[in-house]
Amino acid sequence: MSIATAEFGTSGPEAGARSEDYLWTLNFGPQHPATHTTLRIVLKLDGERVVDAMPEMGYLHSGFEKLGEHLTFNQYVTVTDRMNYISPMANNVAWHHAVEALLGIELTPRCASIRTIIAELARISDHLLSNGAVGLDTGAFTFFLYAFYQREVIYDIFETLCGARFTNSYTRVGGVSQDFTPLVIEKIRGFLKTFPKTLDDMERLLTRNRIFVDRTKGVGVLTKEEAINRGATGPVARASGVTRDLRKDEPYLAYGDFDFQICCASAGDCYARYLIRMQEMRESLKIVAQAIENLPAGPVNVGIDQRTALPTKQQVYTTIEGTISHFELSMSNRGFEVPHEESYAAIEAPNGELGFYIVGDGGETAYRARCRPPSLLHFALFPHLIRGHTLSDVVAVLGSLNIIAAELDR
Amino acid sequence: MPYTLPSVTDVLAGLTNRFGSLETSLNRGQTRVVVPEPLSFDVLAWLKNQGFDLLIDVTCVDYLEYKAAKHRYGLVYLLASTATNQRLTVRVFVDDPDPTVKSVVSLWEAANWLEREVWDLFGIRFTSHPDLRRLVMPDEFTAHPLRKDYPLQGRGERHNFPVITRDHS
Amino acid sequence: MAVVHSVSSDRLELPENVVIGRLDLLANWCRKNSLWPMPFATACCGIELMATGAAKHDLARFGAEVFRFSPRQCDLMIVAGRVVMKMLPVLQRIWQQMHEPKWCISMGACASTGGVFDTYAVVQGIDRFIPVDMYVPGCPPRPEQLIQAIIDLQDKIQREGTINGREFDTAGRQLRKRALVEIANPLSIDASRNPNLQRELAAAADAVAGRN
């Protein structure tokens, strides 16, 4: 890429003291291995020290929100898969959580538990990749391979569950596409047994590794006030001491029933963010372990009276309500009733608060489907975090923020 | 929804005392306040002082094809409080030909990119924004693609590139 | 590789330790087993590309694991994920920065056709703007599919490759097509709706006339 000379709105604290002639401009991305995806940052350097950074985005803007106005509520879930593509299940849950908030649907207990389990498994796989990427960028390739192997195990669970290993499109309005089978439960139990050991191994590899600690401790410090003022959520905010986690604060799905802790740190640096993610994986395991052993019986989709989820085959063949409901849901111009309303609902996605602001206009598609992406606000933090640090810290900070371009740009 | 959000009636009462009566509504536990455009900055600044310290989102809806809509654009400010977990939605309506709102970047740094995104995709101008440029679309792009009068497939911009064949490379 | 040991003919007498082969074959054999991919990973497919290189699927088994992020060092570009308007100039520039001989794999539905993203911002298939050798279907493709695509590309390099890159010469391809027209009976082809074919047929007729 060509090196663009960019206009800088604000200069770093050091810029005033030195002559501008010493500074030179380095273009970082949009195609660079450490950006993982398509981020671009124009850095202003004084030697090896970053004086200022200007993030540039939009290299993966694909019109998700416009597409949301043309796809039905059930179709759009396939697109949300491609939003934060390292934890697609969490996006599916977020989208249909928001749709159900608009429609006013209450899930069956079994469905709530199932969604909780898959959202937590998605959180584990997300944290594995984002921590693995921090390791990869700071030179710990083995750690990345450990992390990715465990992701494959989770992929395998999801594939058994719904047939797709990666882009799952699992949830439906008022339910999920497939119920848990005994094989899935068995695989999740197997994962619960083997994963803590691997997690211990991973922690032994990196958590007290001198090089890793030196490269991440004290780098990219975000204070609590700044975190709130700049809209940080999720692990990034919790590493700075913001005790905000929607799983506890607004217990959606079945989170109110389970015993788990919110992980917080006060340092606010890259190392704290790494530790938060490691610890959150253990908490997620606790939730999954409780949920899988106490999985409620009963139907997984909401009943016929709600008119949103397809009835079971038994109901279609034996009851008139089932037949009518099946017919109406299958017809392209019928579908279910959507109120003339607007609502916002969010879940605690692995990256932070992932919410959708949906405007319904009575039709079968959303009039407006706004996604509130955590990555956008976290990427806006970047210049603030990197000022004064060295060029090699850029990758550590970027990795610890876990910015996913597709969610950033949509 | 088993969980209902904490009530914000005391905040609404204070808001009415301070700014006169504003249109409020409640939908599934979410409280919304409609604020006239000239008051928007003052109301948001007051709300920030009342404890809504976290700006969740700034976005916009184009009501061009919406039934019984009085205004063209409706801005949405989603606020939350980290201390009390209250949430509040503030709506500001603006119209063509020059939709303009006062920027809230001086209150929340988070609004910087969110407002740039709204400018990019909807063409709402935010006055006194420090750096109002396009965020996601290329700089040379002229339309505002999330407006309802812009087609989903675009107006052919996506095909407007030079073709590189094997002979060129 | 075709290896001839000690051919005895009236024109050529070889000693025992000399091997004769086509230089093209040798070059192809070297090239196909040392593909250095340039991962142009933009979106979801990029994660599957990482999975392909990671422990379970291990692309190293097929001699194509040396991911290099500098286009100067690579000869295989794997475009993984959708390419949008803002990204396409970058893609074209990186493609032009790569050295010949180079190949391109379009991984996934989005890179090949735009996929589900038939929207204002997404380029509807990168083959509209840069040459593509291999398309991988799937959204995203499984790692096995990508491995299969790389094996197929290796096969293609082995079959079609030439040491001076004649297979990339589009003008040369036109000449080969003319030979096909020449063999066919010109009268049996309906060329009324195809101006290209009409030109070819005229050229073929000229060639036949010249020979006679």
Side-chain angles (χ1 to χ4, degrees):
Chain A
M1 265 308 284
S2 64
I3 293 175
T5 44
E7 298 272 325
F8 286 87
T10 54
S11 302
E14 297 175 36
R18 294 160 197 274
S19 164
E20 288 285 310
D21 299 342
Y22 286 105
L23 305 180
W24 60 290
T25 310
L26 177 73
N27 184 61
F28 188 89
Q31 173 55 39
H32 185 278
T35 64
H36 299 293
T37 38
T38 56
L39 315 172
R40 181 180 173 208
I41 302 158
V42 184
L43 297 163
K44 207 175 189 187
L45 299 173
D46 173 13
E48 212 178 325
R49 207 147 288 277
V50 180
V51 174
D52 203 352
M54 192 183 69
E56 178 99 358
M57 53 176 273
Y59 290 95
L60 200 53
H61 175 69
S62 336
F64 277 72
E65 290 176 9
K66 191 88 174 171
L67 208 52
E69 297 164 9
H70 292 79
L71 297 179
T72 65
F73 292 108
N74 271 331
Q75 285 172 336
Y76 190 62
V77 73
T78 58
V79 179
T80 60
D81 279 335
R82 281 121 187 117
M83 199 171 278
N84 181 346
Y85 42 70
I86 67 176
S87 53
M89 280 292 199
N91 298 326
N92 295 349
V93 172
W95 166 248
H96 276 142
H97 179 66
V99 172
E100 283 147 13
L102 176 73
L103 302 178
I105 295 171
E106 193 161 332
L107 294 175
T108 61
R110 185 175 175 84
C111 181
S113 276
I114 284 177
R115 285 197 188 176
T116 311
I117 292 169
I118 60 164
E120 289 309 308
L121 286 176
R123 187 185 315 278
I124 292 173
S125 73
D126 187 293
H127 286 352
L128 276 174
L129 188 66
S130 59
N131 267 354
V134 176
L136 186 65
D137 293 344
T138 50
F141 191 64
T142 319
F143 182 81
F144 171 76
L145 291 179
Y146 269 74
F148 221 98
Y149 191 78
Q150 289 304 313
R151 272 178 68 86
E152 290 284 347
V153 178
I154 298 176
Y155 281 161
D156 188 44
I157 293 171
F158 286 166
E159 190 174 0
T160 318
L161 177 58
C162 61
R165 69 184 232 121
F166 182 46
T167 43
N168 313 96
S169 306
Y170 179 59
T171 56
R172 297 287 182 271
V173 179
V176 293
S177 67
Q178 314 279 331
D179 197 357
F180 270 19
T181 57
L183 182 62
V184 175
I185 294 173
E186 192 185 310
K187 282 194 172 178
I188 293 176
R189 282 189 182 137
F191 175 73
L192 289 172
K193 277 205 195 80
T194 57
F195 185 62
K197 194 173 164 299
T198 319
L199 206 53
D200 291 343
D201 285 348
M202 288 167 67
E203 289 218 322
R204 271 207 296 279
L205 267 174
L206 207 55
T207 304
R208 293 176 63 200
N209 182 317
R210 186 78 225 171
I211 302 171
F212 179 73
V213 174
D214 280 352
R215 286 202 61 179
T216 51
K217 208 159 197 172
V219 172
V221 178
L222 181 69
T223 61
K224 185 178 176 183
E225 291 71 33
E226 283 293 327
I228 293 174
N229 190 31
R230 290 170 187 266
T233 46
V236 177
R238 286 196 286 277
S240 300
V242 182
T243 54
R244 181 181 161 82
D245 190 319
L246 297 185
R247 291 176 292 171
K248 282 277 189 206
D249 295 342
E250 300 172 6
Y252 54 96
L253 296 180
Y255 283 109
D257 304 341
F258 303 127
D259 174 32
F260 65 101
Q261 304 276 322
I262 300 299
C263 311
C264 283
S266 54
D269 55 3
C270 294
Y271 189 62
R273 291 192 272 276
Y274 160 82
L275 287 180
I276 292 284
R277 291 206 171 95
M278 284 311 246
Q279 198 55 41
E280 276 193 0
M281 282 194 261
R282 294 188 188 278
E283 296 300 325
S284 296
L285 274 183
K286 269 161 70 180
I287 299 174
V288 175
Q290 292 169 52
I292 199 80
E293 298 308 332
N294 301 305
L295 201 60
V300 70
N301 289 344
V302 292
I304 302 173
D305 50 326
Q306 303 266 20
R307 287 260 169 105
T308 55
L310 280 176
T312 61
K313 204 166 232 180
Q314 177 75 22
Q315 286 167 329
V316 176
Y317 286 150
T318 53
T319 62
I320 185 68
E321 295 86 4
T323 315
I324 292 171
S325 176
H326 186 270
F327 177 75
E328 292 217 323
L329 286 172
S330 308
M331 290 293 285
S332 61
N333 56 350
R334 294 297 187 89
F336 39 80
E337 299 251 322
V338 181
H340 266 264
E341 264 299 350
E342 317 188 353
S343 85
Y344 173 81
I347 68 158
E348 185 71 29
N351 244 350
E353 176 170 341
L354 176 69
F356 286 90
Y357 188 88
I358 307 176
V359 182
D361 65 344
E364 58 184 353
T365 65
Y367 183 78
R368 169 106 168 89
R370 156 74 180 174
C371 167
R372 187 266 180 202
S375 287
L376 178 77
L377 293 144
H378 292 166
F379 195 37
L381 287 171
F382 181 77
H384 174 70
L385 296 184
I386 198 62
R387 269 182 213 130
H389 291 292
T390 58
L391 182 58
S392 59
D393 294 335
V394 170
V395 288
V397 173
L398 263 186
S400 75
L401 290 177
N402 188 24
I403 296 151
I404 305 302
E407 187 190 60
L408 171 74
D409 296 341
R410 286 152 289 123
Chain B
M1 309 257 308
Y3 176 81
T4 48
L5 294 164
S7 158
V8 289
T9 42
D10 48 338
V11 178
L12 289 182
L15 201 60
T16 315
N17 276 341
R18 179 81 171 69
F19 295 97
S21 89
L22 300 171
E23 185 190 336
T24 58
S25 58
L26 188 71
N27 176 38
R28 304 201 201 287
Q30 303 170 21
T31 313
R32 286 169 300 197
V33 185
V34 180
V35 177
E37 190 269 311
L39 281 179
S40 70
F41 183 83
D42 296 334
V43 169
L44 288 165
W46 186 83
L47 285 170
K48 193 192 173 195
N49 282 334
Q50 296 300 307
F52 288 99
D53 48 358
L54 185 63
L55 180 70
I56 297 286
D57 200 1
V58 178
T59 185
C60 181
V61 183
D62 180 0
Y63 289 105
L64 182 66
E65 294 157 4
Y66 201 71
K67 263 176 246 155
K70 295 190 198 80
H71 302 275
R72 172 85 193 261
Y73 306 106
L75 282 151
V76 184
Y77 295 84
L78 299 173
L79 308 180
S81 160
T82 51
T84 59
N85 296 327
Q86 291 169 324
R87 281 180 188 268
L88 186 64
T89 309
V90 177
R91 305 297 315 268
V92 179
F93 290 97
V94 287
D95 274 303
D96 277 340
D98 185 22
T100 312
V101 184
K102 192 163 188 316
S103 164
V104 294
V105 179
S106 52
L107 302 176
W108 292 280
E109 195 60 40
N112 192 333
W113 281 26
L114 294 169
E115 287 181 350
R116 273 177 69 188
E117 190 182 20
V118 173
W119 155 247
D120 188 352
L121 301 177
F122 287 94
I124 312 281
R125 196 176 294 280
F126 290 88
T127 51
S128 70
H129 187 286
D131 182 24
L132 195 65
R133 287 179 295 124
R134 280 188 179 273
L135 186 67
V136 291
M137 299 306 289
D139 285 339
E140 59 271 19
F141 203 72
T142 50
H144 298 289
L146 277 192
R147 287 189 177 182
K148 285 281 174 183
D149 50 7
Y150 187 81
L152 173 66
Q153 270 90 9
R155 299 198 176 114
E157 297 94 338
R158 62 184 182 183
H159 303 306
N160 191 14
F161 289 100
V163 179
I164 294 181
T165 62
R166 287 279 187 190
D167 296 339
H168 292 91
S169 51
Chain C
M1 188 166 59
V3 178
V4 185
H5 286 286
S6 178
V7 181
S8 61
S9 74
D10 41 345
R11 280 186 297 146
L12 187 64
E13 199 66 46
L14 285 173
E16 285 266 323
N17 54 354
V18 172
V19 174
I20 294 181
R22 275 170 59 211
L23 197 52
D24 279 353
L25 279 176
L26 187 65
N28 292 343
W29 180 72
C30 295
R31 280 174 185 164
K32 84 165 193 183
N33 289 313
S34 68
L35 288 172
W36 284 30
M38 154 90 210
F40 194 89
T42 56
C44 342
C45 292
I47 304 295
E48 287 296 64
L49 185 60
M50 282 160 84
T52 315
K56 191 173 177 184
H57 297 281
D58 197 9
L59 193 57
R61 296 177 291 162
F62 304 96
E65 87 284 14
V66 198
F67 284 102
R68 280 292 176 273
F69 297 92
S70 164
R72 300 283 184 208
Q73 299 172 346
C74 299
D75 53 6
L76 167 64
M77 178 189 257
I78 301 178
V79 182
R82 53 192 176 274
V83 175
V84 305
M85 270 164 40
K86 211 168 171 178
M87 199 64 176
L88 189 74
V90 182
L91 173 71
Q92 288 185 329
R93 169 154 325 192
I94 287 177
W95 172 253
Q96 286 184 319
Q97 282 172 343
M98 286 167 64
H99 288 296
E100 292 277 8
K102 57 191 174 187
W103 298 273
C104 177
I105 290 181
S106 162
M107 179 182 177
C110 297
S112 306
T113 66
V116 291
F117 297 101
D118 188 10
T119 61
Y120 55 89
V122 181
V123 170
Q124 301 295 299
I126 55 164
D127 57 352
R128 290 167 184 244
F129 303 107
I130 65 165
V132 174
D133 292 285
M134 204 56 76
Y135 300 86
V136 190
C139 190
R142 296 179 64 93
E144 293 91 330
Q145 279 174 282
L146 181 63
I147 291 172
Q148 182 65 47
I150 289 173
I151 293 173
D152 286 351
L153 184 68
Q154 288 174 335
D155 188 40
K156 179 180 172 176
I157 294 167
Q158 180 69 71
R159 273 189 291 106
E160 296 184 359
T162 50
I163 193 157
N164 49 4
R166 286 193 304 279
E167 77 272 23
F168 298 136
D169 181 12
T170 42
R173 285 186 185 171
Q174 293 300 321
L175 288 176
R176 246 179 289 147
K177 274 184 197 159
R178 189 176 296 156
L180 278 178
V181 174
E182 202 175 0
I183 292 163
N185 179 10
L187 297 175
S188 68
I189 299 174
D190 177 22
S192 58
R193 293 164 69 186
N194 188 339
N196 284 335
L197 197 54
Q198 284 169 9
R199 261 202 309 281
E200 297 287 342
L201 286 174
D206 286 350
V208 172
R211 202 185 297 153
N212 292 341

